[in-house]
Amino acid sequence: MNLDLLNKGYEPREVESRWYSFWEKEGLFDALADSAPKNFSIVIPPPNVTGVLHMGHALNNTLQDILCRYRRLRGDNVLWMPGTDHAGIATQNVVERKLAEDGLDRHHLGREKFIEAVWQWRRKYGNAITNQLKRLGASCDWKRERFTMDDGLSLAVRKVFVQLYNEGLIYRGDYIINWCPRCSTALADLEVEHEETDGNLYHIRYPYLNAAGGIVVATTRPETMLGDTAVAVHPEDDRYRNAADKTVMLPLMDRAIPVIRDKYVDMSFGTGALKVTPAHDPNDYAIGLRHDLPVIKAIGDDGRMTAAAGKFEGLERFACRRAVVEELKAGGYLVRVDAHRHSVGHCYRCKDIVEPNLSRQWFVKTGPLAQEAIVAVKEGRTRIVPEIWTATYFDWMTNIRDWCISRQIWWGHQIPAWTCRDCQELIVAMEAPPTCPACGSAAPVQDTDVLDTWFSSALWPFSTMGWPERTPLLETFYPTSVLVTGFDILFFWVARMMMMGIHFMGAVPFRDVYVHALVRDEEGKKMSKSKGNVIDPLSVIDTYGTDAFRFTLAAFAAQGRDIKMSAKRIEGYRHFINKLWNAARLCLMHLTEGQPEPGPESRSLPDRWILSRLKTLTRTVSEAIDDYRFNEAAGALYNFVWHEFCDWYLEAIKPVIYDRHGEEQKAATLAVLRRVLNDALILLHPFIPFVTEEIWHKLPGTQGSIMLAVHPLDDKRSVALSHDREAEAQMELVIDIITGVRNIRGEMDLPPALELKVELQSEDKTVRASVVDHRDIILNLARIKSLTVDEPGRKPASAATTIIPGGTLFVPLEGTIDFEKEAERLQKRINKVNAELMPVVKKLNNEDYLKKAPADVVAGARAKREQLHLTLQKLEATLARVRELAK
RNA sequence: GGGCGGAUAGCUCAGCUGGGAGAGCGUCGGCCUUACAAGCCGAAGGUCACAGGUUCAAGCCCUGUUCCGCCUACCA
């Protein structure tokens, strides 16, 4: 016996620190660029380079790692492509804040120096997130790590931009876009978060220019009136039949503006008259185009009023709102102010209120691209799991609007477009044109804008593999097997990868998209720094260990449901890791190298049973992983290890391994024990890689990493195992008897030390024989002194009784029995059986049921009725006897 | 405004194509049994949100209602 093989309690810190570097050093995460018989690939959703590991990353990468490790164990050539995203606005903000600490800002530094500063920052801090992924155990092929701003990916970005431009799928134009005054950049529609806000609806009277009275308009943003160039009414609105074609005087500005008719106006809203501000509202802009209205930009890109706002020039937009309202009131123009709840757009980065603003931007024409992406999913070339997201995907893709891709920041891929200083020719090209192709003037000027970060992420599945070159990596691993992601970036990222992948590779970027849930806090709220409810995965890992954490995530990753995370649940799974650890200790105390492996014929009942259960487990776990039902796989493993393996099997074989049943039996059992531990570790490894690797190395007879082990589905000796129905039935009987005795002991308050003699009466010969065969196991686990087996006959007088499916169990308690208590106990049982019996009887009395239900279902119900009936009879007879004796 | 999801034991949640209500934690009782007290054994606890409907049969399918949560949207 070798007790110091493993420590008594599992210490994750010490163990985990060893294995990650071992795996990396051995090259166990490396993919072969050349195609193997089976290839499997995943591209990581690249975390922001500024990021720190949060719960979302932890879940996302744990699930990917489970898939990758599982596929490797199944013999696949696995590529898990890692990398990070340059995260334009986020990173720029971080570095700007950093500079501010030194009293610097980017405008003083200049563009070039600022970008250099960002690169410096990236070199210094940019690996934080990848190091954290390593602590999580992520088995990425780090040698291939990519960054969205590295040379290869930047080339891919330019190539894509130029081609789309030449195909007419990228264009530049003046449109109303979402403008964030704080970030001072355009935002895509997706980057705007809408939030219901309590505001006011201001009713303002615009007097007619050459007539009495006026028109009352309603607005939530009164300051925009400074840019009004018309008032619109619906052509069929009788109220304004006479008003149309008149001219009103814009208050405060003393500007004459026309009253026009446009069907866009909703007669039922407000007064039915709409003030039109083409420069600051997308609908108004459209109306402006239809009616050839002037465009007056009253709010500047810095969020302050422009010269066009007259005396309000320079006022911050919300200060201006207050000032405008005051003046309107003073001038008698303000008719009414109603409280009005409406949704207000906020910048998803800085949360500042977004201002619709007219400006010249670059757009991707998404219609044709989206169409292809819809067809790909319709035809099943890409499958979205769970399927529920397919509808959402279609919905969004169908109603997609053009994608504003230019950003007025510095950190990112600068747009490969140049303008000639002299003739204004626009040149879109991979490299800077030395001269203008139109007029020959020197050095056209590059557009100062950069591309939306998601533009480069959209290329991720193929740009990381070396596109535009046709690399072996692409040949082998594109399309990728599956993309694992949270639904929050389904549109931002997945949809756009679909569009770009199909367009540029001619094939979908992934076969499956597995959409997982969000990790929330204990109360189901989204974790966020401002709420202070963030659980830091790294501190969880420090406290409970990576394996416990990963297992928790997997166990709660039920499809379509968010995960509420709390320390308490992780603690529960730490116990599981510890349980496994200690079970392994027990095994390792007895397993030695080179033990003989006797044939199946010498296997005991528990041996046969556990092998049969292992077979089921292997299938269950593998199928669950194949279907992305991670929680089912984790649940099956938990139940097997803790309850079947530890509670029953290990307890049952203790007498054998402690040398009470002879050498031959011991050798057979140890061989089984080894096989079960071996296979269970392999099945567990994708979920809890560290502890399984540690145990694996202590297991005599194993060589190298568990990552190179043969999966039970591919291992001849394991495949040869089959379901052993006989063993399962016999073991069930044994368990029933043991549980029955334990139950009596517990409910009758019998001291554990009290030596019990137990009698089983059964009319079933097979049952009797079976119990005799396995008497030792029962004596040991039920902690009883003797077990006699008989045909039904004389009932022991002073005994506690339990009915089990195979017969009746008597625990004679001569002189010590408490009849009251026993009667009570039996009555409880009777009530329970009755409750179970009632619905069955009712069913079987229903002729329609007998006629219409499938035969096997009816047969099952009949069998159940018989069995319950029998049990009930026995219980009632016993109770009657006990009552008699109690008198 | 449109759409989606959720409501099952005290808590957190499983329950896959309709056919015997489950787990973990917590609670109660008993155990230091030679791997594990981060453990072992036993027990209690549920009108499956509400109201209808389909069906021989509904936690599961349909309709409506209530309460949560999320996504989406250019009604000023």
Side-chain angles (χ1 to χ4, degrees), chain A residues 59 82 214 266 281 422 485 830:
Chain A
L59 172 65
D266 178 356
D281 184 282
D422 295 326
T485 185
I830 288 169

Side-chain angles (χ1 to χ4, degrees), chain A residues 45-122:
Chain A
N48 288 355
V49 67
T50 55
V52 284
L53 194 77
H54 57 61
M55 280 292 167
H57 294 125
L59 172 65
N60 179 248
N61 288 289
T62 295
L63 299 184
Q64 291 177 78
D65 196 47
I66 289 168
L67 293 172
C68 288
R69 287 179 184 269
Y70 169 67
R71 296 311 323 179
R72 276 193 208 98
L73 283 166
R74 296 300 310 279
D76 289 10
N77 175 28
V78 172
L79 169 65
W80 184 6
M81 174 69 78
T84 47
D85 192 288
H86 67 278
I89 300 177
T91 310
Q92 175 157 328
N93 287 347
V94 166
V95 176
E96 280 192 272
R97 269 201 297 278
K98 190 108 184 155
L99 289 175
E101 284 169 17
D102 304 332
L104 295 168
D105 83 69
R106 69 181 162 111
H107 298 287
H108 289 117
L109 224 51
R111 184 164 187 150
E112 216 164 299
K113 282 208 172 129
F114 177 74
I115 289 175
E116 183 43 43
V118 179
W119 278 108
Q120 268 176 25
W121 182 92
R122 137 125 180 121

Side-chain angles (χ1 to χ4, degrees), chain A residues 144-251:
Chain A
R144 301 186 190 276
E145 183 181 351
R146 303 304 296 264
F147 179 49
T148 48
M149 284 283 282
D150 67 26
D151 289 343
L153 273 67
S154 301
L155 178 77
V157 164
R158 291 201 299 278
K159 170 111 179 153
V160 163
F161 187 95
V162 171
Q163 189 179 323
L164 287 176
Y165 178 79
N166 290 335
E167 291 171 342
L169 292 173
I170 281 182
Y171 63 90
R172 188 171 64 158
D174 296 308
Y175 295 95
I176 299 276
I177 44 81
N178 307 292
W179 183 266
C180 174
R182 187 170 302 173
C183 301
S184 85
T185 180
L187 297 173
D189 295 331
L190 268 179
E191 291 170 310
V192 178
E193 292 175 351
H194 293 273
E195 204 178 317
E196 285 289 310
T197 310
D198 288 318
N200 293 317
L201 190 59
Y202 300 88
H203 291 71
I204 307 165
R205 188 168 51 83
Y206 288 8
Y208 292 127
L209 186 57
N210 292 316
I215 287 189
V216 177
V217 298
T219 180
T220 54
R221 295 184 296 154
E223 71 282 7
T224 60
M225 69 166 290
L226 303 173
D228 281 4
T229 54
V231 169
V233 295
H234 196 278
E236 285 151 31
D237 194 334
D238 291 340
R239 291 171 293 180
Y240 298 109
R241 180 156 305 182
N242 300 321
D245 304 327
K246 282 193 173 137
T247 302
V248 294
M249 179 61 74
L250 183 64

